[in-house]
Amino acid sequence: MRTIKIFDTTLRDGEQSPGASMNISEKLQVANALTELGADIIEAGFAVASPGDFESVRTVADTVKGSSVCSLARCVEKDIDAAADALKNAEQPRIHVFLATSPIHREYKLRMTTEKNIESAVAGVKYARKFCGDVEFSAEDATRTEIDHLCRVVEAVIDAGATTVNIPDTVGYATPIEMYERIKALFDRVPNVGKTVISVHNHNDLGMAVATSLAAVRAGAGQVECTINGLGERAGNCSLEEIVMALKTRNDVYDAGTRIITQKLVPTSRLVSTVTGLKVPRNKAIVGQNAFAHESGIHQDGMLKNPTTYEIMQPCDVGFQKTDLVLGKHSGRAALADRAKTLGCDLDTVQLGKVFEEFKKLADRKKNIYDEDILALIEQEIHERKDPYISRCCQAACQTAEWSLVSYDLRCRTGKEPQVRLTLRNGDREYTRETSGGDGPVDALFFAVKEITGADISIKEYSVQSVTNGEDAQGDVTILINRSGETYRGHGVSTDTIEASTVAILNAVNRSGSAISR
Ligand code: KIV
Ligand code: ZN
């Protein structure tokens, strides 16, 4: 089996995504994550482009150990000087020179003849070789270059000392079969091709970047250039996580693998998404939130019987903890029974039938069905029918709520402690407290809830998510509280996030069994 080199260009081509710019410390964080992931080469930037780019390349080159660090440069001396200077302390430096070779670029951008084109490419490679033993040459727009000219350029740059020759599909135009044929032609026609590594760098304008990269590997390419989350100029580059998992999952077809530690794909994807602010779509292959989530009843039933029915990879192989059987309107009895069991309620067939009926009605009204909703349904159905059977865990989880919110009046001002007047109901009595203090509005309300209920609790985790998009989106708050060493979860949804937070706190207090009568 061949080992394909993974050349990551998240910090260079990825950063060319509009809105994806990163500062030096963020770039360093990403570079360290890429090394831990097992990327063979990290393209840290385009040193000559700006003082900031130079500093980024230099900082990454000075720090990273274990992966090659590379800088891009045009085939001009001042670019190559800057690249060499920025890389001078790198453990494994690589200079990456490029020149467009296609007729469109030669005629309109470079105003260059074919002979001059070859001459400039050769001069660039030779000059870079003076500083570095590892030089990559990229024939920009190679897939729209006449094949005879491309073969001549490739042969000449190999003779000039290029250790890697990259054949980019700069505008994402090639089809997989064309890419296969182009790479195959280079192997068949360029006499010295064996002295270099052939690489591809494919853009995703037609959504084919991963497919064209796989086709190139099939034809003999030994390096793939890619980015985390498929970031990159316009529609982006070949996605690292997709190409790596395609090679791993279908190695029966490609007989090739990579050095990537695939369990680190999801954490790396999340890091890049956080530092760039570019969200990963839920349905993104491999690292999207839905990549291992199943909602259809038929699929969930199959998954519970044997995960290979609907999953070709294991979630833990890419860094997710587990498969997510999302409960929603398409879910079936098997998934509901399984979730109830996980929550401690072993339902018999009659109980399940009844709960399932109510669950379907609820799912029509509510997009997300949470564990608390399931517990509430079970409690309602089982209690109403006065069923003698309720498991111990289920009883504990199905505590009847005691405290509820009547009203709050909250005042927050810059530089001042928040003030709150909170009224709660317990049974038919209402309790009001006025308090001040806390780090913010939620903290202030939490303090007031403690005052009124007398529950000795602390917040372990607090998160708020928007249920839908838009100005009228509901805030969906989940809170974990600690009480006497036990953790209890609370949940609240409202268009008013403060109200949702208070309801979530009370929900957790009630579940913790706070029956303090005052
Ligand atoms: O897309 C492209 O052709 C490039 C080269 C500089 C490699 O990014
Ligand atoms: Zn590119």
Side-chain angles (χ1 to χ4, degrees), residues 445-458:
L445 278 160
F446 186 73
F447 188 61
V449 169
K450 274 173 73 170
E451 282 276 294
I452 297 179
T453 63
D456 184 15
I457 50 177
S458 57

Side-chain angles (χ1 to χ4, degrees), residues 360-425:
K360 282 284 182 184
K361 287 185 202 155
L362 182 65
D364 266 339
R365 283 186 281 123
K366 203 166 181 285
K367 194 168 150 52
N368 294 322
I369 308 278
Y370 298 95
D371 289 354
E372 289 74 19
D373 296 319
I374 307 283
L375 284 167
L377 284 180
I378 293 172
E379 181 194 27
Q380 186 186 308
E381 287 315 307
I382 295 175
H383 284 175
E384 253 180 33
R385 291 168 60 239
K386 307 235 175 316
D387 197 315
Y389 169 76
I390 310 174
S391 77
R392 214 167 55 78
C393 296
C394 190
Q395 276 189 39
C398 296
Q399 292 279 356
T400 311
E402 290 173 79
W403 293 101
S404 59
L405 172 67
V406 177
S407 65
Y408 73 81
D409 184 350
L410 183 67
R411 186 140 191 239
C412 295
R413 284 160 302 162
T414 316
K416 296 264 186 316
E417 286 190 329
Q419 290 176 320
V420 65
R421 184 172 200 277
L422 179 68
T423 304
L424 301 181
R425 179 174 293 121

Side-chain angles (χ1 to χ4, degrees), residues 56-256:
S56 307
V57 178
R58 199 179 56 81
T59 310
V60 172
D62 287 359
T63 316
V64 161
K65 306 277 171 271
S67 304
S68 297
V69 178
C70 162
S71 171
L72 188 65
R74 287 167 300 180
C75 282
V76 295
E77 295 193 356
K78 78 168 169 79
D79 283 33
I80 298 168
D81 289 338
D85 195 13
L87 293 170
K88 66 172 183 273
N89 296 327
E91 184 191 64
Q92 301 168 53
R94 171 180 292 193
I95 298 179
H96 177 189
V97 291
F98 76 100
L99 179 69
T101 52
S102 67
I104 300 176
H105 284 241
R106 288 191 322 256
E107 189 178 337
Y108 298 107
K109 189 177 89 178
L110 303 170
R111 302 190 188 286
M112 225 179 222
T113 62
T114 48
E115 292 316 310
K116 180 75 187 147
N117 195 234
I118 296 174
E119 208 182 286
S120 303
V122 166
V125 171
K126 283 194 170 153
Y127 190 68
R129 277 301 301 256
K130 290 192 178 154
F131 301 95
C132 189
D134 187 359
V135 171
E136 169 167 335
F137 172 80
S138 279
E140 191 189 7
D141 206 16
T143 50
R144 292 191 299 170
T145 300
E146 312 88 322
I147 188 68
D148 289 343
H149 180 58
L150 188 63
C151 287
R152 287 184 64 206
V153 173
V154 172
E155 184 177 350
V157 295
I158 297 172
D159 274 343
T163 42
T164 300
V165 178
N166 187 31
I167 309 298
D169 186 20
T170 303
V171 288
Y173 180 71
T175 64
I177 188 75
E178 282 168 351
M179 182 55 97
Y180 175 87
E181 279 163 1
R182 185 151 287 242
I183 301 296
K184 180 100 182 23
L186 294 177
F187 277 101
D188 290 343
R189 292 176 49 180
V190 176
N192 54 0
V193 72
K195 293 191 186 155
T196 199
V197 174
I198 294 291
S199 167
V200 280
H201 170 116
N202 299 337
H203 279 266
N204 206 27
D205 298 68
L206 293 173
M208 295 194 287
V210 175
T212 45
S213 302
L214 286 169
V217 167
R218 186 79 204 252
Q223 173 179 291
V224 174
E225 304 198 356
C226 44
T227 56
I228 299 291
N229 300 336
L231 290 186
E233 191 78 42
R234 304 182 309 280
N237 287 58
C238 170
S239 133
L240 182 148
E241 54 279 2
E242 292 178 25
I243 185 89
V244 164
M245 288 312 290
L247 289 173
K248 184 174 166 126
T249 310
R250 296 312 311 271
N251 99 3
D252 56 327
V253 174
Y254 297 100
D255 195 24

Side-chain angles (χ1 to χ4, degrees), residues 293-367:
H294 307 258
E295 193 186 307
S296 133
I298 295 170
H299 289 212
Q300 291 183 341
D301 182 48
M303 286 293 300
L304 289 166
K305 289 174 176 151
N306 185 334
T308 59
T309 49
Y310 288 102
E311 272 181 5
I312 56 168
M313 298 164 273
Q314 290 193 22
C316 56
D317 282 350
V318 303
F320 278 119
Q321 282 191 333
K322 59 179 174 53
T323 293
D324 190 9
L325 297 187
V326 182
L327 290 181
K329 66 176 178 182
H330 303 111
S331 303
R333 268 163 219 268
L336 180 63
D338 183 68
R339 182 65 60 86
K341 196 168 172 190
T342 314
L343 293 171
C345 305
D346 227 338
L347 302 176
D348 66 26
T349 323
V350 181
Q351 289 169 336
L352 178 62
K354 197 81 181 98
V355 175
F356 185 64
E357 210 175 288
E358 292 307 310
F359 163 77
K360 282 284 182 184
K361 287 185 202 155
L362 182 65
D364 266 339
R365 283 186 281 123
K366 203 166 181 285
K367 194 168 150 52

